[in-house]
Amino acid sequence: MQESPVAGQDVSCCTDLTSAPLSEERAVELATVFKALGDPIRLRLLSMIASRAGGEVCVCELTPAFDLSQPTISHHLKLLRQAGLIDCERRGTWVYYWLVPETTDKVAAVLTRPAEALT
Amino acid sequence: MQESPVAGQDVSCCTDLTSAPLSEERAVELATVFKALGDPIRLRLLSMIASRAGGEVCVCELTPAFDLSQPTISHHLKLLRQAGLIDCERRGTWVYYWLVPETTDKVAAVLTRPAEALT
């Protein structure tokens, strides 16, 4: 995973919704992540992965929790991965998934009001 | 706006993604809000409303910022409203919109890791 250099960071990356209108570019970037979160199956998959104490979950442990085919689950996992919310690695027969907390932190920050606004 | 009574609140309402897998019911509820956020136009509309110092924005001020028809903007605003992210009131010719911060707070909390997890 490559981090963008600090010097190249857009300051608007860190402002929340209540501070200033979002730029078109930033809105497109954030919408991709929110769209991936906008499905109950994907949210449950993400929470199963995110809440795993060891940090990693085998796809073989995710599938039995749903009344859905393996390809359907794989498709949802792919969308979560494309949005940068999870990452994975194949080891032998199985694929293992883990949370990318930088992405959830980023969208959480957009939705979090500054402390002084909480009354 | 009606608040749910504290006694009736599901404790799982306040846990974040990293604490425990989401219930099906809670995933469906949250997905509705994330789906509404999963569009660049709606995110920009929401940020324009949320960042308004006075707290309210006339629809007549929102439309000129986009190269879209009034009915299209109205449709996006309706989806934000159905998700509980904004509310509105008609006064004379115009409709005025404002943020419902309880909803953004709720989804922010789901995505926010407990402080001890931030390393």
PDB file of all heavy atoms in Angstrom, chain B residues 5-39:
ATOM      1  N   PRO B   5     -37.455   6.226  22.907  1.00  0.00           N
ATOM      2  CA  PRO B   5     -37.201   6.236  24.340  1.00  0.00           C
ATOM      3  C   PRO B   5     -35.930   5.446  24.664  1.00  0.00           C
ATOM      4  O   PRO B   5     -35.651   4.430  24.030  1.00  0.00           O
ATOM      5  CB  PRO B   5     -38.426   5.536  24.928  1.00  0.00           C
ATOM      6  CG  PRO B   5     -39.002   4.736  23.804  1.00  0.00           C
ATOM      7  CD  PRO B   5     -38.639   5.458  22.551  1.00  0.00           C
ATOM      8  N   VAL B   6     -35.163   5.931  25.628  1.00  0.00           N
ATOM      9  CA  VAL B   6     -33.882   5.303  25.965  1.00  0.00           C
ATOM     10  C   VAL B   6     -34.084   3.825  26.320  1.00  0.00           C
ATOM     11  O   VAL B   6     -33.309   2.970  25.922  1.00  0.00           O
ATOM     12  CB  VAL B   6     -33.190   6.055  27.128  1.00  0.00           C
ATOM     13  CG1 VAL B   6     -31.953   5.308  27.592  1.00  0.00           C
ATOM     14  CG2 VAL B   6     -32.830   7.457  26.677  1.00  0.00           C
ATOM     15  N   ALA B   7     -35.174   3.547  27.035  1.00  0.00           N
ATOM     16  CA  ALA B   7     -35.427   2.172  27.472  1.00  0.00           C
ATOM     17  C   ALA B   7     -35.553   1.222  26.272  1.00  0.00           C
ATOM     18  O   ALA B   7     -35.215   0.048  26.368  1.00  0.00           O
ATOM     19  CB  ALA B   7     -36.694   2.111  28.299  1.00  0.00           C
ATOM     20  N   GLY B   8     -36.033   1.739  25.161  1.00  0.00           N
ATOM     21  CA  GLY B   8     -36.245   0.892  23.993  1.00  0.00           C
ATOM     22  C   GLY B   8     -35.040   0.788  23.083  1.00  0.00           C
ATOM     23  O   GLY B   8     -35.086   0.113  22.075  1.00  0.00           O
ATOM     24  N   GLN B   9     -33.963   1.482  23.428  1.00  0.00           N
ATOM     25  CA  GLN B   9     -32.803   1.488  22.533  1.00  0.00           C
ATOM     26  C   GLN B   9     -32.056   0.172  22.568  1.00  0.00           C
ATOM     27  O   GLN B   9     -31.853  -0.424  23.617  1.00  0.00           O
ATOM     28  CB  GLN B   9     -31.843   2.617  22.913  1.00  0.00           C
ATOM     29  CG  GLN B   9     -32.212   3.928  22.244  1.00  0.00           C
ATOM     30  CD  GLN B   9     -31.236   5.022  22.620  1.00  0.00           C
ATOM     31  OE1 GLN B   9     -30.313   4.786  23.391  1.00  0.00           O
ATOM     32  NE2 GLN B   9     -31.456   6.206  22.083  1.00  0.00           N
ATOM     33  N   ASP B  10     -31.648  -0.241  21.380  1.00  0.00           N
ATOM     34  CA  ASP B  10     -30.836  -1.435  21.235  1.00  0.00           C
ATOM     35  C   ASP B  10     -29.404  -1.039  21.601  1.00  0.00           C
ATOM     36  O   ASP B  10     -28.869  -0.089  21.063  1.00  0.00           O
ATOM     37  CB  ASP B  10     -30.912  -1.856  19.761  1.00  0.00           C
ATOM     38  CG  ASP B  10     -30.126  -3.116  19.480  1.00  0.00           C
ATOM     39  OD1 ASP B  10     -29.458  -3.618  20.399  1.00  0.00           O
ATOM     40  OD2 ASP B  10     -30.210  -3.586  18.338  1.00  0.00           O
ATOM     41  N   VAL B  11     -28.801  -1.775  22.535  1.00  0.00           N
ATOM     42  CA  VAL B  11     -27.437  -1.395  22.923  1.00  0.00           C
ATOM     43  C   VAL B  11     -26.477  -1.506  21.748  1.00  0.00           C
ATOM     44  O   VAL B  11     -25.484  -0.793  21.680  1.00  0.00           O
ATOM     45  CB  VAL B  11     -26.874  -2.221  24.116  1.00  0.00           C
ATOM     46  CG1 VAL B  11     -27.494  -1.759  25.417  1.00  0.00           C
ATOM     47  CG2 VAL B  11     -27.034  -3.693  23.907  1.00  0.00           C
ATOM     48  N   SER B  12     -26.792  -2.399  20.800  1.00  0.00           N
ATOM     49  CA  SER B  12     -25.908  -2.566  19.658  1.00  0.00           C
ATOM     50  C   SER B  12     -25.863  -1.311  18.790  1.00  0.00           C
ATOM     51  O   SER B  12     -25.040  -1.196  17.902  1.00  0.00           O
ATOM     52  CB  SER B  12     -26.349  -3.749  18.801  1.00  0.00           C
ATOM     53  OG  SER B  12     -27.533  -3.429  18.093  1.00  0.00           O
ATOM     54  N   CYS B  13     -26.746  -0.356  19.078  1.00  0.00           N
ATOM     55  CA  CYS B  13     -26.781   0.891  18.320  1.00  0.00           C
ATOM     56  C   CYS B  13     -25.477   1.632  18.450  1.00  0.00           C
ATOM     57  O   CYS B  13     -25.123   2.414  17.589  1.00  0.00           O
ATOM     58  CB  CYS B  13     -27.904   1.812  18.799  1.00  0.00           C
ATOM     59  SG  CYS B  13     -27.520   2.653  20.332  1.00  0.00           S
ATOM     60  N   CYS B  14     -24.766   1.373  19.598  1.00  0.00           N
ATOM     61  CA  CYS B  14     -23.654   2.268  19.874  1.00  0.00           C
ATOM     62  C   CYS B  14     -22.306   1.601  19.701  1.00  0.00           C
ATOM     63  O   CYS B  14     -21.282   2.226  19.927  1.00  0.00           O
ATOM     64  CB  CYS B  14     -23.808   2.843  21.272  1.00  0.00           C
ATOM     65  SG  CYS B  14     -25.477   3.510  21.485  1.00  0.00           S
ATOM     66  N   THR B  15     -22.322   0.366  19.278  1.00  0.00           N
ATOM     67  CA  THR B  15     -21.036  -0.280  19.073  1.00  0.00           C
ATOM     68  C   THR B  15     -20.536   0.054  17.672  1.00  0.00           C
ATOM     69  O   THR B  15     -21.315   0.256  16.760  1.00  0.00           O
ATOM     70  CB  THR B  15     -21.161  -1.813  19.200  1.00  0.00           C
ATOM     71  OG1 THR B  15     -22.144  -2.268  18.285  1.00  0.00           O
ATOM     72  CG2 THR B  15     -21.549  -2.202  20.602  1.00  0.00           C
ATOM     73  N   ASP B  16     -19.229   0.107  17.541  1.00  0.00           N
ATOM     74  CA  ASP B  16     -18.660   0.392  16.227  1.00  0.00           C
ATOM     75  C   ASP B  16     -18.341  -0.915  15.516  1.00  0.00           C
ATOM     76  O   ASP B  16     -18.412  -1.996  16.105  1.00  0.00           O
ATOM     77  CB  ASP B  16     -17.411   1.268  16.391  1.00  0.00           C
ATOM     78  CG  ASP B  16     -16.249   0.471  16.939  1.00  0.00           C
ATOM     79  OD1 ASP B  16     -16.306   0.079  18.116  1.00  0.00           O
ATOM     80  OD2 ASP B  16     -15.314   0.204  16.177  1.00  0.00           O
ATOM     81  N   LEU B  17     -17.979  -0.789  14.252  1.00  0.00           N
ATOM     82  CA  LEU B  17     -17.701  -1.947  13.392  1.00  0.00           C
ATOM     83  C   LEU B  17     -16.638  -2.885  13.946  1.00  0.00           C
ATOM     84  O   LEU B  17     -16.673  -4.078  13.673  1.00  0.00           O
ATOM     85  CB  LEU B  17     -17.180  -1.459  12.032  1.00  0.00           C
ATOM     86  CG  LEU B  17     -18.167  -0.955  11.005  1.00  0.00           C
ATOM     87  CD1 LEU B  17     -17.412  -0.529   9.761  1.00  0.00           C
ATOM     88  CD2 LEU B  17     -19.194  -2.022  10.653  1.00  0.00           C
ATOM     89  N   THR B  18     -15.679  -2.328  14.692  1.00  0.00           N
ATOM     90  CA  THR B  18     -14.567  -3.152  15.166  1.00  0.00           C
ATOM     91  C   THR B  18     -14.900  -3.886  16.461  1.00  0.00           C
ATOM     92  O   THR B  18     -14.129  -4.729  16.903  1.00  0.00           O
ATOM     93  CB  THR B  18     -13.283  -2.305  15.405  1.00  0.00           C
ATOM     94  OG1 THR B  18     -13.535  -1.396  16.479  1.00  0.00           O
ATOM     95  CG2 THR B  18     -12.889  -1.531  14.162  1.00  0.00           C
ATOM     96  N   SER B  19     -16.039  -3.544  17.079  1.00  0.00           N
ATOM     97  CA  SER B  19     -16.369  -4.158  18.367  1.00  0.00           C
ATOM     98  C   SER B  19     -17.088  -5.490  18.244  1.00  0.00           C
ATOM     99  O   SER B  19     -16.829  -6.408  19.016  1.00  0.00           O
ATOM    100  CB  SER B  19     -17.235  -3.214  19.198  1.00  0.00           C
ATOM    101  OG  SER B  19     -16.574  -1.993  19.383  1.00  0.00           O
ATOM    102  N   ALA B  20     -18.008  -5.583  17.286  1.00  0.00           N
ATOM    103  CA  ALA B  20     -18.791  -6.815  17.144  1.00  0.00           C
ATOM    104  C   ALA B  20     -19.461  -6.829  15.780  1.00  0.00           C
ATOM    105  O   ALA B  20     -19.733  -5.768  15.211  1.00  0.00           O
ATOM    106  CB  ALA B  20     -19.854  -6.868  18.234  1.00  0.00           C
ATOM    107  N   PRO B  21     -19.730  -8.029  15.242  1.00  0.00           N
ATOM    108  CA  PRO B  21     -20.456  -8.094  13.964  1.00  0.00           C
ATOM    109  C   PRO B  21     -21.827  -7.427  14.113  1.00  0.00           C
ATOM    110  O   PRO B  21     -22.472  -7.540  15.151  1.00  0.00           O
ATOM    111  CB  PRO B  21     -20.595  -9.596  13.713  1.00  0.00           C
ATOM    112  CG  PRO B  21     -19.493 -10.226  14.501  1.00  0.00           C
ATOM    113  CD  PRO B  21     -19.347  -9.367  15.728  1.00  0.00           C
ATOM    114  N   LEU B  22     -22.255  -6.721  13.092  1.00  0.00           N
ATOM    115  CA  LEU B  22     -23.561  -6.050  13.107  1.00  0.00           C
ATOM    116  C   LEU B  22     -24.677  -7.081  12.978  1.00  0.00           C
ATOM    117  O   LEU B  22     -24.530  -8.071  12.258  1.00  0.00           O
ATOM    118  CB  LEU B  22     -23.675  -5.105  11.917  1.00  0.00           C
ATOM    119  CG  LEU B  22     -22.810  -3.849  11.898  1.00  0.00           C
ATOM    120  CD1 LEU B  22     -22.928  -3.175  10.524  1.00  0.00           C
ATOM    121  CD2 LEU B  22     -23.244  -2.872  12.986  1.00  0.00           C
ATOM    122  N   SER B  23     -25.801  -6.811  13.634  1.00  0.00           N
ATOM    123  CA  SER B  23     -26.985  -7.652  13.432  1.00  0.00           C
ATOM    124  C   SER B  23     -27.561  -7.347  12.049  1.00  0.00           C
ATOM    125  O   SER B  23     -27.290  -6.279  11.484  1.00  0.00           O
ATOM    126  CB  SER B  23     -28.037  -7.338  14.498  1.00  0.00           C
ATOM    127  OG  SER B  23     -28.547  -6.034  14.295  1.00  0.00           O
ATOM    128  N   GLU B  24     -28.359  -8.284  11.525  1.00  0.00           N
ATOM    129  CA  GLU B  24     -28.982  -8.068  10.217  1.00  0.00           C
ATOM    130  C   GLU B  24     -29.820  -6.801  10.204  1.00  0.00           C
ATOM    131  O   GLU B  24     -29.759  -6.006   9.269  1.00  0.00           O
ATOM    132  CB  GLU B  24     -29.903  -9.247   9.881  1.00  0.00           C
ATOM    133  CG  GLU B  24     -29.198 -10.420   9.242  1.00  0.00           C
ATOM    134  CD  GLU B  24     -30.182 -11.472   8.720  1.00  0.00           C
ATOM    135  OE1 GLU B  24     -30.996 -11.144   7.842  1.00  0.00           O
ATOM    136  OE2 GLU B  24     -30.122 -12.590   9.227  1.00  0.00           O
ATOM    137  N   GLU B  25     -30.595  -6.628  11.282  1.00  0.00           N
ATOM    138  CA  GLU B  25     -31.513  -5.481  11.388  1.00  0.00           C
ATOM    139  C   GLU B  25     -30.749  -4.152  11.377  1.00  0.00           C
ATOM    140  O   GLU B  25     -31.114  -3.210  10.674  1.00  0.00           O
ATOM    141  CB  GLU B  25     -32.296  -5.640  12.698  1.00  0.00           C
ATOM    142  CG  GLU B  25     -33.459  -4.715  12.840  1.00  0.00           C
ATOM    143  CD  GLU B  25     -34.073  -4.814  14.231  1.00  0.00           C
ATOM    144  OE1 GLU B  25     -33.500  -5.523  15.100  1.00  0.00           O
ATOM    145  OE2 GLU B  25     -35.113  -4.163  14.457  1.00  0.00           O
ATOM    146  N   ARG B  26     -29.685  -4.112  12.165  1.00  0.00           N
ATOM    147  CA  ARG B  26     -28.889  -2.894  12.263  1.00  0.00           C
ATOM    148  C   ARG B  26     -28.162  -2.617  10.934  1.00  0.00           C
ATOM    149  O   ARG B  26     -28.032  -1.468  10.518  1.00  0.00           O
ATOM    150  CB  ARG B  26     -27.882  -3.075  13.400  1.00  0.00           C
ATOM    151  CG  ARG B  26     -27.000  -1.905  13.643  1.00  0.00           C
ATOM    152  CD  ARG B  26     -27.235  -1.252  14.967  1.00  0.00           C
ATOM    153  NE  ARG B  26     -26.312  -0.120  15.136  1.00  0.00           N
ATOM    154  CZ  ARG B  26     -26.598   1.107  14.785  1.00  0.00           C
ATOM    155  NH1 ARG B  26     -27.771   1.400  14.292  1.00  0.00           N
ATOM    156  NH2 ARG B  26     -25.726   2.077  14.945  1.00  0.00           N
ATOM    157  N   ALA B  27     -27.715  -3.677  10.267  1.00  0.00           N
ATOM    158  CA  ALA B  27     -27.035  -3.526   8.979  1.00  0.00           C
ATOM    159  C   ALA B  27     -27.989  -2.928   7.947  1.00  0.00           C
ATOM    160  O   ALA B  27     -27.598  -2.064   7.161  1.00  0.00           O
ATOM    161  CB  ALA B  27     -26.484  -4.869   8.510  1.00  0.00           C
ATOM    162  N   VAL B  28     -29.242  -3.362   7.951  1.00  0.00           N
ATOM    163  CA  VAL B  28     -30.236  -2.847   7.000  1.00  0.00           C
ATOM    164  C   VAL B  28     -30.476  -1.354   7.257  1.00  0.00           C
ATOM    165  O   VAL B  28     -30.514  -0.542   6.328  1.00  0.00           O
ATOM    166  CB  VAL B  28     -31.559  -3.649   7.103  1.00  0.00           C
ATOM    167  CG1 VAL B  28     -32.690  -2.950   6.361  1.00  0.00           C
ATOM    168  CG2 VAL B  28     -31.362  -5.070   6.573  1.00  0.00           C
ATOM    169  N   GLU B  29     -30.591  -1.012   8.529  1.00  0.00           N
ATOM    170  CA  GLU B  29     -30.848   0.387   8.924  1.00  0.00           C
ATOM    171  C   GLU B  29     -29.676   1.291   8.512  1.00  0.00           C
ATOM    172  O   GLU B  29     -29.876   2.356   7.921  1.00  0.00           O
ATOM    173  CB  GLU B  29     -31.046   0.395  10.453  1.00  0.00           C
ATOM    174  CG  GLU B  29     -31.352   1.742  11.057  1.00  0.00           C
ATOM    175  CD  GLU B  29     -31.101   1.731  12.564  1.00  0.00           C
ATOM    176  OE1 GLU B  29     -31.176   0.635  13.203  1.00  0.00           O
ATOM    177  OE2 GLU B  29     -30.788   2.814  13.106  1.00  0.00           O
ATOM    178  N   LEU B  30     -28.475   0.853   8.818  1.00  0.00           N
ATOM    179  CA  LEU B  30     -27.293   1.664   8.487  1.00  0.00           C
ATOM    180  C   LEU B  30     -27.052   1.740   6.984  1.00  0.00           C
ATOM    181  O   LEU B  30     -26.652   2.787   6.469  1.00  0.00           O
ATOM    182  CB  LEU B  30     -26.044   1.090   9.162  1.00  0.00           C
ATOM    183  CG  LEU B  30     -25.959   1.251  10.677  1.00  0.00           C
ATOM    184  CD1 LEU B  30     -24.851   0.375  11.241  1.00  0.00           C
ATOM    185  CD2 LEU B  30     -25.713   2.719  11.055  1.00  0.00           C
ATOM    186  N   ALA B  31     -27.309   0.640   6.277  1.00  0.00           N
ATOM    187  CA  ALA B  31     -27.073   0.615   4.826  1.00  0.00           C
ATOM    188  C   ALA B  31     -27.922   1.665   4.114  1.00  0.00           C
ATOM    189  O   ALA B  31     -27.487   2.254   3.123  1.00  0.00           O
ATOM    190  CB  ALA B  31     -27.340  -0.774   4.265  1.00  0.00           C
ATOM    191  N   THR B  32     -29.126   1.911   4.610  1.00  0.00           N
ATOM    192  CA  THR B  32     -30.003   2.927   4.013  1.00  0.00           C
ATOM    193  C   THR B  32     -29.331   4.297   4.048  1.00  0.00           C
ATOM    194  O   THR B  32     -29.375   5.049   3.075  1.00  0.00           O
ATOM    195  CB  THR B  32     -31.333   3.016   4.801  1.00  0.00           C
ATOM    196  OG1 THR B  32     -31.845   1.703   4.935  1.00  0.00           O
ATOM    197  CG2 THR B  32     -32.341   3.917   4.126  1.00  0.00           C
ATOM    198  N   VAL B  33     -28.704   4.610   5.179  1.00  0.00           N
ATOM    199  CA  VAL B  33     -28.035   5.911   5.319  1.00  0.00           C
ATOM    200  C   VAL B  33     -26.788   5.956   4.426  1.00  0.00           C
ATOM    201  O   VAL B  33     -26.574   6.924   3.695  1.00  0.00           O
ATOM    202  CB  VAL B  33     -27.664   6.201   6.791  1.00  0.00           C
ATOM    203  CG1 VAL B  33     -27.046   7.594   6.915  1.00  0.00           C
ATOM    204  CG2 VAL B  33     -28.882   6.080   7.691  1.00  0.00           C
ATOM    205  N   PHE B  34     -25.984   4.896   4.453  1.00  0.00           N
ATOM    206  CA  PHE B  34     -24.766   4.873   3.626  1.00  0.00           C
ATOM    207  C   PHE B  34     -25.095   4.932   2.136  1.00  0.00           C
ATOM    208  O   PHE B  34     -24.389   5.559   1.362  1.00  0.00           O
ATOM    209  CB  PHE B  34     -23.911   3.648   3.942  1.00  0.00           C
ATOM    210  CG  PHE B  34     -23.174   3.747   5.247  1.00  0.00           C
ATOM    211  CD1 PHE B  34     -23.297   2.763   6.220  1.00  0.00           C
ATOM    212  CD2 PHE B  34     -22.345   4.827   5.507  1.00  0.00           C
ATOM    213  CE1 PHE B  34     -22.611   2.850   7.430  1.00  0.00           C
ATOM    214  CE2 PHE B  34     -21.645   4.928   6.713  1.00  0.00           C
ATOM    215  CZ  PHE B  34     -21.785   3.935   7.667  1.00  0.00           C
ATOM    216  N   LYS B  35     -26.183   4.270   1.752  1.00  0.00           N
ATOM    217  CA  LYS B  35     -26.591   4.294   0.347  1.00  0.00           C
ATOM    218  C   LYS B  35     -26.943   5.726  -0.082  1.00  0.00           C
ATOM    219  O   LYS B  35     -26.575   6.159  -1.175  1.00  0.00           O
ATOM    220  CB  LYS B  35     -27.802   3.370   0.158  1.00  0.00           C
ATOM    221  CG  LYS B  35     -27.974   2.893  -1.257  1.00  0.00           C
ATOM    222  CD  LYS B  35     -29.033   1.818  -1.328  1.00  0.00           C
ATOM    223  CE  LYS B  35     -29.292   1.433  -2.764  1.00  0.00           C
ATOM    224  NZ  LYS B  35     -30.316   0.387  -2.877  1.00  0.00           N
ATOM    225  N   ALA B  36     -27.615   6.439   0.800  1.00  0.00           N
ATOM    226  CA  ALA B  36     -27.955   7.842   0.509  1.00  0.00           C
ATOM    227  C   ALA B  36     -26.688   8.684   0.381  1.00  0.00           C
ATOM    228  O   ALA B  36     -26.623   9.626  -0.408  1.00  0.00           O
ATOM    229  CB  ALA B  36     -28.866   8.402   1.596  1.00  0.00           C
ATOM    230  N   LEU B  37     -25.654   8.325   1.152  1.00  0.00           N
ATOM    231  CA  LEU B  37     -24.382   9.065   1.100  1.00  0.00           C
ATOM    232  C   LEU B  37     -23.514   8.638  -0.089  1.00  0.00           C
ATOM    233  O   LEU B  37     -22.547   9.318  -0.425  1.00  0.00           O
ATOM    234  CB  LEU B  37     -23.586   8.829   2.395  1.00  0.00           C
ATOM    235  CG  LEU B  37     -24.175   9.387   3.699  1.00  0.00           C
ATOM    236  CD1 LEU B  37     -23.417   8.828   4.887  1.00  0.00           C
ATOM    237  CD2 LEU B  37     -24.128  10.919   3.712  1.00  0.00           C
ATOM    238  N   GLY B  38     -23.877   7.531  -0.735  1.00  0.00           N
ATOM    239  CA  GLY B  38     -23.049   6.952  -1.787  1.00  0.00           C
ATOM    240  C   GLY B  38     -23.237   7.558  -3.160  1.00  0.00           C
ATOM    241  O   GLY B  38     -23.234   6.835  -4.156  1.00  0.00           O
ATOM    242  N   ASP B  39     -23.395   8.843  -3.223  1.00  0.00           N
ATOM    243  CA  ASP B  39     -23.543   9.541  -4.511  1.00  0.00           C
ATOM    244  C   ASP B  39     -22.904  10.928  -4.392  1.00  0.00           C
ATOM    245  O   ASP B  39     -23.209  11.658  -3.437  1.00  0.00           O
ATOM    246  CB  ASP B  39     -25.036   9.663  -4.843  1.00  0.00           C
ATOM    247  CG  ASP B  39     -25.255  10.417  -6.124  1.00  0.00           C
ATOM    248  OD1 ASP B  39     -25.276  11.672  -6.075  1.00  0.00           O
ATOM    249  OD2 ASP B  39     -25.407   9.786  -7.180  1.00  0.00           O
TER     250      ASP B  39
END
